[in-house]
Amino acid sequence: GEHSKRGKVCFSPYVWVHTPSLQPSEGQGATSWPAGVGSGRSTPLEMSISRTQASAVSFKRKSDGGGVLIAGGMAYPTPEQAKHYHLEIVVQPTDVIDYVHKDDEGNWTITYNFGKLSVPRLDMATACVGTKVLFAGGATCTECLYKNSTITSANFRCTDAIDVYDFELDKWTIIAMTVQRKNLVIAVNLTAAYLVAGQDDLGPVANVEMYDP
């Protein structure tokens, strides 16, 4: 993929699926493993866009085994724009959500544009609690300029949005935190998620709140 020329900011379109080296169970030959499984190697898959500071969360459901949702992040300039890395280029957070999962043959694949965030953003916190996946908080920006492999100017604004995906009902809903923030953390205790600390537009926050589906 395209990477930065100087290594300051690295945007990649790839996600690697690592499958530990396993032995087939009794009665199974090695050829019964789907591609990339039990091989002790990483299988690269290409996301729909190159990005940095995205968020990812895994979940398991009855119908298809579940997988990993990759959401948001700062979208990279197009390959043509990236050739002119010495020029200022406008970049923006993305709302794109991709879904890494196994296909009907048991091979790892990726579904592009599985969903969209309510607010394009980066630096979210994620968690899975019960049958729901949370993408909480984060920051969006305007006037984001990219030059010489780094962000040179940005007007970041935090959000209070929580995008909630019920993977058993295949349904998205949107709720709000009590404060706008990015770089928060989430701790899950049985059936509840605790949204802790982070930063708002002015600095660190001391807020802790609970989400109980």
Side-chain angles (χ1 to χ4, degrees), residues 96-160:
V96 170
I97 301 174
D98 293 336
Y99 178 37
V100 178
H101 59 100
K102 288 186 177 181
D103 61 20
D104 293 339
E105 285 72 44
N107 300 314
W108 287 104
T109 187
I110 186 165
T111 298
Y112 293 160
N113 301 305
F114 181 78
K116 288 186 178 296
L117 296 170
S118 59
V119 180
R121 60 197 194 267
L122 62 157
D123 294 338
M124 295 174 288
T126 63
C128 180
V129 53
T131 63
K132 295 180 174 64
V133 167
L134 311 180
F135 292 97
T140 189
C141 79
T142 58
E143 303 173 11
C144 299
L145 299 179
Y146 175 84
K147 181 180 179 181
N148 290 337
S149 306
T150 190
I151 301 295
T152 60
S153 176
N155 183 17
F156 286 100
R157 288 290 180 269
C158 294
T159 178
D160 60 3

Side-chain angles (χ1 to χ4, degrees), residues 128-130 188-192:
C128 180
V129 53
V188 176
N189 181 14
L190 299 178
T191 60

Side-chain angles (χ1 to χ4, degrees), residues 178-182 184 195-200 203-209:
T178 57
V179 295
Q180 298 176 335
R181 50 181 157 167
K182 65 178 181 178
L184 66 156
L195 290 73
V196 182
Q199 296 174 281
D200 63 14
V205 297
N207 179 281
V208 179
E209 55 190 284

Side-chain angles (χ1 to χ4, degrees), residues 52-108:
T52 186
Q53 294 167 271
S55 297
V57 61
S58 64
F59 64 94
K60 185 176 182 179
R61 63 180 167 190
K62 300 174 183 178
S63 60
D64 63 358
V68 176
L69 293 176
I70 305 167
M74 183 68 81
Y76 188 47
T78 65
E80 182 59 34
Q81 290 174 326
K83 294 177 183 178
H84 308 288
Y85 67 95
H86 59 288
L87 302 177
E88 281 194 327
I89 302 169
V90 176
V91 292
Q92 296 290 345
T94 180
D95 59 2
V96 170
I97 301 174
D98 293 336
Y99 178 37
V100 178
H101 59 100
K102 288 186 177 181
D103 61 20
D104 293 339
E105 285 72 44
N107 300 314
W108 287 104

Side-chain angles (χ1 to χ4, degrees), residues 164-183:
V164 182
Y165 177 56
D166 189 319
F167 50 81
E168 292 298 349
L169 298 179
D170 191 26
K171 180 181 179 181
W172 289 90
T173 56
I174 305 165
I175 59 176
M177 295 183 290
T178 57
V179 295
Q180 298 176 335
R181 50 181 157 167
K182 65 178 181 178
N183 294 330

